[in-house]
Amino acid sequence: MTASDTDLICAIATPPGEGGVGVIRLSGRGAKTLAQTFVRYELQSRQAQYSRFVADGEVLDDGIVIWFASPNSYTGEDVVELQGHGGPIVQQNLLQALCARGARLARPGEFSERAFLNGKLDLVQAEAVADLIAAKSKLAAKAARSSLQGIFSAQVAGLAARLLNLRVEIEAAIDFPDEDIEILQQAQVRQKLAGLSEDVHTLLRQAEQGRRLSQGLTVALLGEPNVGKSSLLNALAGEEAAIVTAIPGTTRDLLKVDVVIDGMPLRLVDTAGLRESDDAVEQIGIERARQQIYSADRVAVVLAATDLADANDSTLANCIARARAQLGAAADSLSADALHIVINKIDLHEPTLPSVEQSETRLSLVSATEQRGLQEFVAALVNHQSADAEAANFTARARHVQALTRVGSLLQQAQQALGDQAGPELVAEDCQLAHQTLGEIVGTISPDDLLGEIFSSFCIGK
Ligand code: GDP
């Protein structure tokens, strides 16, 4: 830790603007000594004390002051909270007085960064603090609380401990070269590696779910012009967010709408119709639509039931073929649970197709204008995981998902190397990298630039 990691920092911890109470947080070496000069009573650790806040003989405010003696505080340092009136001028006056006496303004996320550096929270928990504050639904808040309590971290730690154990066995094989082949051929090592790999994949699927909970599930609506994509988006968003017209090609650009349906935050993206066009502006829109196929969590290809009026068209195989044809080469990069087919305008014609429960393919029958089938569509989008996926009970971030994906492929590589009878060094190296990557998730191993990137996205005062 450097000197700037322990110097005295202060910030307004409550939201900006006017409010009944405004909290100023002070943390670092000398926090108590500085706060003591403002208040009339001798501060007692963890006791709420009422006082006037006085600087240079002037009463700046009055309220409750609480001193949390190190290490029993949020940051692990000496922390003082001044809970006065929530007015911008009153709080600025107090901040200025604190800064004039040696404190400095905290950077965004600096309190949480210190909590992490002092071992009060691991990295996943610190990120969960930000996710909890930013939670857009009850479910997301509950999941962020679980992460904050360490449920996700404990699972990562469990995997890391097992991997360490395995590494010891493999490293031993390297230290005793005569026996290496034997040791690596032992079914036990093979089994442990396979078991670990499987559990990493289970956690990865949970983390993917957790990421969707905290960051929302991105759903791209794709399809030919006039099938009703904009109408569907409006029906889901419950407002006239997209312009609906009967002229093909009205949606010239991407339109994103964030909604929370049944506790799940969804980011709906309406796209320009996928079709050949001579119009330069529309072509840009079409290209952006194609990009969505690669970045969205779900791609919902909308077909119009009226285009399926012929009995030959009205088969599941035909719908899938139509959807895939529209996606082009991008269809191959979609995972099995990402593609969803929506048949709209069933008020005009209702095709006889198996419902989503009976079909491997995710298929929903809806009418945007009559608001039919919408809830079932959303439920299918959200719940359709691969069969063995478990529900998310913690929040996660893209960073965690990427790290777990890397751990999964390193372990697979290690299994491969084991099967190929490669030297134990290769297996050991993959396991070492996988172990290190697990460490990066919780922050036991964390490059400085990663920390900077994570904490700078926090709000000030956290
Ligand atoms: P987009 O080009 O795919 O975004 O399609 P729009 O949402 O602009 O809809 C095209 C036309 O189809 C409009 O006239 C809509 O009113 C109509 N439409 C959309 N959804 C439905 C539906 O469920 N039933 C009926 N009958 N018409 C619909």
Side-chain angles (χ1 to χ4, degrees):
M1 237 188 234
T2 62
S4 72
D5 291 331
T6 57
D7 59 358
L8 203 49
I9 52 170
C10 61
I12 301 170
T14 34
E18 296 170 13
V21 179
V23 177
I24 288 181
R25 206 182 227 175
L26 184 66
S27 180
R29 202 175 288 151
K32 186 212 171 193
T33 316
L34 174 54
Q36 192 63 68
T37 65
F38 282 73
V39 299
R40 292 161 46 167
Y41 306 106
E42 179 64 26
L43 291 171
Q44 306 293 325
S45 181
R46 304 169 79 82
Q47 281 188 26
Q49 292 167 281
Y50 170 76
S51 177
R52 286 178 177 163
F53 307 151
V54 185
D56 295 331
E58 189 190 345
V59 179
L60 298 179
D61 198 5
D62 65 306
I64 301 294
V65 55
I66 310 177
W67 164 47
F68 301 89
S70 167
N72 298 315
S73 69
Y74 178 66
T75 59
E77 302 173 324
D78 249 6
V79 168
V80 177
E81 281 185 12
L82 295 167
Q83 308 183 354
H85 295 92
I89 302 296
V90 154
Q91 292 191 298
Q92 284 304 331
N93 284 345
L94 266 170
L95 272 187
Q96 273 172 13
L98 289 169
C99 289
R101 287 160 182 77
R104 68 164 169 86
L105 293 178
R107 293 188 303 269
E110 200 169 2
F111 292 94
S112 298
E113 186 174 2
R114 289 186 177 193
F116 164 70
L117 292 172
N118 290 321
K120 301 296 277 186
L121 299 170
D122 67 29
L123 215 42
V124 165
Q125 289 174 307
E127 288 168 314
V129 171
D131 290 343
L132 181 61
I133 294 169
K136 299 283 184 295
S137 69
K138 278 187 184 179
L139 216 57
K142 191 167 170 240
R145 275 238 56 94
S146 299
S147 288
L148 184 53
Q149 273 158 15
I151 288 179
F152 181 30
S153 309
Q155 302 215 39
V156 174
L159 290 172
R162 282 164 60 195
L163 190 51
L164 181 64
N165 184 287
L166 191 63
R167 282 185 61 203
V168 169
E169 282 183 45
I170 297 167
E171 304 277 346
I174 298 174
D175 290 343
F176 302 98
D178 294 346
E179 298 156 42
D180 63 359
I181 301 297
E182 263 169 60
I183 289 179
L184 287 184
Q185 275 178 345
Q186 276 174 7
Q188 222 188 349
V189 171
R190 209 175 280 276
Q191 256 174 21
K192 279 186 188 170
L193 206 47
L196 207 55
S197 194
E198 205 176 303
D199 293 348
V200 165
H201 279 105
T202 306
L203 190 60
L204 171 62
R205 283 193 298 268
Q206 287 179 303
E208 274 170 345
Q209 270 287 84
R211 181 189 64 76
R212 284 170 199 145
L213 256 189
S214 58
Q215 296 179 348
L217 185 83
T218 314
V219 183
L221 297 174
L222 288 147
E224 286 173 352
N226 254 6
V227 291
K229 297 180 295 298
S230 306
S231 308
L232 188 57
L233 178 125
N234 287 351
L236 291 168
E239 58 182 280
E240 291 290 307
I243 318 150
V244 181
T245 64
I247 310 154
T250 24
T251 313
R252 292 283 167 114
D253 206 344
L254 297 177
L255 186 102
K256 299 181 181 177
V257 180
D258 290 327
V259 290
V260 176
I261 300 175
D262 286 342
M264 170 60 90
L266 297 181
R267 167 159 291 185
L268 304 167
V269 187
D270 185 12
T271 60
L274 287 178
R275 61 176 196 146
E276 298 305 318
S277 168
D278 296 334
D279 182 320
V281 179
E282 200 180 346
Q283 272 174 3
I284 296 171
I286 293 169
E287 191 41 45
R288 287 195 193 164
R290 289 204 185 277
Q291 288 302 321
Q292 287 298 313
I293 305 171
Y294 295 102
S295 61
D297 295 306
R298 301 280 187 272
V299 175
V301 178
V302 186
L303 303 175
T306 37
D307 294 337
L308 307 171
D310 190 314
N312 289 336
D313 294 333
S314 191
T315 64
L316 187 60
N318 177 54
C319 293
I320 296 172
R322 273 176 184 244
R324 294 189 83 87
Q326 286 185 38
L327 295 171
D332 299 331
S333 70
L334 284 182
S335 70
D337 44 345
L339 179 62
H340 201 113
I341 298 174
V342 190
I343 301 189
N344 186 34
K345 309 196 187 184
I346 55 164
D347 53 300
L348 297 179
H349 169 75
E350 191 145 4
T352 42
L353 282 162
S355 70
V356 72
E357 291 84 24
Q358 297 155 347
S359 149
E360 278 279 291
T361 309
R362 296 89 179 84
L363 184 111
S364 300
L365 300 176
V366 303
S367 164
T369 46
E370 293 193 354
Q371 308 250 330
R372 277 165 60 191
L374 298 180
Q375 262 179 332
E376 291 81 356
F377 167 49
V378 172
L381 278 178
V382 175
N383 296 331
H384 241 293
Q385 321 292 322
S386 36
D388 52 353
E390 285 155 58
N393 51 8
F394 54 78
T395 49
R397 293 182 164 203
R399 177 182 90 75
H400 309 142
V401 171
Q402 282 159 9
L404 285 170
T405 307
R406 175 143 199 265
V407 173
S409 39
L410 283 164
L411 290 180
Q412 211 155 14
Q413 212 167 289
Q415 278 174 289
Q416 181 84 37
L418 202 58
D420 293 346
Q421 309 283 310
E425 286 83 2
L426 283 182
V427 184
E429 194 181 312
D430 288 335
C431 289
Q432 190 260 329
L433 283 174
H435 195 210
Q436 183 182 325
T437 310
L438 282 176
E440 283 171 12
I441 297 177
V442 283
T444 38
I445 304 158
S446 42
D448 280 351
D449 50 351
L450 173 70
L451 294 186
E453 196 179 312
I454 291 171
F455 288 107
S456 62
S457 67
F458 280 46
C459 47
I460 292 185
K462 248 298 147 204

